[in-house]
Amino acid sequence: MENKSNNRPAPAPRVFSGVQPTGNLHLGNYLGAIRNFVTLQETYDCLYCVVDLHAITVWQEPSVLARHTREVTAAFLACGIDPKTQIIFNQSAVPAHAELAWVFNCVARMGWLGRMTQFKDKAGKHQQNASVGLFAYPNLMAADILAYKSTHVPVGEDQKQHLELCRDIAQKFNNDFDAPDFFPLPEPLIQGPATRVMSLRDGAVKMSKSDKSDNARINLNDNADLIAKKIRKAKTDPRPLPESEEEATTRPEADNLIGIYAALARQSRGDVIQQFAGRSFAAFKNELSDLAVAVLAPIGEEMSRLMAAPDHVDDVLRDGALRAAAIATPIMDDVKRIIGFVR
Ligand code: TYM
């Protein structure tokens, strides 16, 4: 493979993505990200990371952080990521992440980070009280990706801006240190009909781990009854299902449920609309609920099984961290040489 613009060989493809161990893994995390992780392992070498350093940018109770770290790992395994062929690990176990993040703290500009909408949303009106880590969060994320010279990053829509920043950081590092193409410019992979799953209670806000209402999201460890109840209670408008994609885009709650159905059934939105056009939400919700239970309940059950005796989960993380470090260490050696650190 060649990079056409400069005849230098294109970097070897490598996938990296991360999920925060902050509890309440939900349908958005699954459809927007984790399910795509599973598909990509057929084609790429992949690293899937439980980003515990990111989690502590806001307060985490230590024992709860440990449980949530194992829970995300269990979710990766339950969804079908193969820990033998791919690398599953937690971020804090590989020092390269924090080391490279420091370097990027000195490459990225304050103005770049100040524009990050996620920081503004999370810090809200209390920016002076936010941790420095929350502000510098995207630099650590760039370090996660670039410590492995990753080329592809599967994420939900909400991470797009962070990935653009990652590319800016890679480019500035390469320019500043006159190291053309040292870091690749990673491509976001934002795929499928549910890249931004919305709350079940309000079609204008994203489904999120931190929503106060548990009814706003379907958690990966919800049982069949709870999944069905939450879908039954999901907010809709009083009209029957939309007749066209154009109409759906004007009706956020309907559009969200159609997107969820399409993603779970591996169909396009258009096909789902055709199938259900003009039908009642009650009928649609029954079918959606059966589908969601069929896909999600086995995942929840496998997560519970893994969490009941987490030795296997811990082994996967330990083995993954060793293999991840073996990739990152020589890259960090080059970074240090390029910067001029005496070694
Ligand atoms: P996190 O832990 O918030 O979310 C994990 C993944 O789930 C996706 N996601 C969604 N997708 C669709 N609809 C939703 N409602 C929804 N909510 C979350 C996210 O886009 C993400 O892909 N900063 C990242 C973690 C991270 C990372 C990385 C990702 C750290 N380092 C390096 C990629 C590469 C985050 O907070 O994800």
Side-chain angles (χ1 to χ4, degrees):
M1 255 191 298
E2 277 206 344
N3 188 339
K4 287 207 180 67
S5 58
N6 55 18
N7 295 328
R8 274 188 276 270
R14 179 174 285 144
V15 164
F16 183 98
S17 198
V19 175
Q20 292 199 64
T22 39
N24 296 336
L25 270 185
H26 54 71
L27 185 64
N29 300 129
Y30 177 65
L31 294 178
I34 303 173
R35 196 178 67 168
N36 297 332
F37 299 177
V38 182
T39 314
L40 288 163
Q41 69 181 345
E42 305 302 326
T43 325
Y44 293 96
D45 288 333
C46 306
L47 294 115
Y48 294 126
C49 185
V50 187
V51 291
D52 47 8
L53 298 174
H54 275 113
I56 64 162
T57 55
V58 298
W59 171 252
Q60 304 295 326
E61 210 54 53
S63 61
V64 178
L65 178 65
R67 177 160 53 79
H68 286 161
T69 299
R70 294 189 173 103
E71 207 167 81
V72 174
T73 312
F76 285 170
L77 297 171
C79 291
I81 298 168
D82 178 355
K84 294 215 167 58
T85 56
Q86 313 303 327
I87 298 177
I88 296 176
F89 70 110
N90 59 318
Q91 193 183 25
S92 62
V94 179
H97 295 253
E99 261 184 306
L100 188 57
W102 179 260
V103 172
F104 290 165
N105 285 345
C106 305
V107 172
R109 307 289 93 183
M110 296 284 285
W112 298 2
L113 293 170
R115 284 194 284 277
M116 295 294 111
T117 52
Q118 197 143 322
F119 174 72
K120 291 189 226 171
D121 289 350
K122 283 202 177 167
K125 294 196 192 85
H126 310 288
Q127 294 200 356
Q128 294 304 311
N129 265 338
S131 71
V132 175
L134 191 67
F135 187 67
Y137 181 113
N139 294 344
L140 177 59
M141 190 164 152
D144 298 339
I145 296 164
L146 295 172
Y148 304 94
K149 294 193 174 180
S150 311
T151 54
H152 296 82
V153 186
V155 282
E157 182 75 37
D158 62 343
Q159 297 301 315
K160 197 168 169 211
Q161 195 187 29
H162 287 159
L163 284 179
E164 281 159 9
L165 187 88
C166 172
R167 291 167 64 93
D168 290 343
I169 290 174
Q171 186 124 50
K172 186 167 189 309
F173 180 97
N174 293 351
N175 287 344
D176 287 355
F177 292 101
D178 196 17
D181 299 332
F182 178 72
F183 284 125
L185 307 187
E187 298 285 343
L189 299 176
I190 300 175
Q191 292 171 328
T195 56
R196 187 173 174 81
V197 177
M198 308 307 277
S199 154
L200 298 181
R201 308 299 307 157
D202 179 352
V205 304
K206 177 179 88 162
M207 184 177 286
S208 102
K209 296 170 184 169
S210 55
D211 199 308
K212 285 190 193 74
S213 163
D214 194 55
N215 285 328
R217 65 182 160 260
I218 294 176
N219 299 306
L220 284 191
N221 51 11
D222 284 347
N223 63 29
D225 288 347
L226 205 49
I227 295 172
K229 187 184 116 205
K230 287 179 178 178
I231 291 177
R232 212 169 39 245
K233 286 188 142 195
K235 187 175 166 206
T236 50
D237 57 42
R239 291 149 62 196
L241 267 95
E243 307 269 351
S244 68
E245 289 197 55
E246 205 186 354
E247 186 191 338
T249 54
T250 64
R251 298 172 55 192
E253 282 85 15
D255 198 40
N256 188 37
L257 294 182
I258 288 167
I260 293 173
Y261 188 103
L264 288 171
R266 296 182 188 273
Q267 293 178 350
S268 70
R269 278 171 187 265
D271 286 345
V272 177
I273 290 174
Q274 233 180 8
Q275 200 177 324
F276 291 98
R279 287 181 57 190
S280 75
F281 270 105
F284 175 70
K285 281 178 170 181
N286 277 340
E287 296 208 26
L288 176 58
S289 167
D290 288 349
L291 180 60
V293 168
V295 175
L296 300 177
I299 295 174
E301 283 158 22
E302 178 63 2
M303 282 172 70
S304 306
R305 193 187 69 78
L306 289 163
M307 288 298 287
D311 290 6
H312 175 59
V313 166
D314 289 0
D315 287 345
V316 165
L317 288 176
R318 250 192 310 273
D319 173 62
L322 289 174
R323 287 157 60 211
I327 301 172
T329 303
I331 294 174
M332 282 312 293
D333 287 346
D334 285 344
V335 168
K336 290 173 188 172
R337 182 181 46 73
I338 288 170
I339 295 176
F341 291 154
V342 174
R343 313 224 51 235

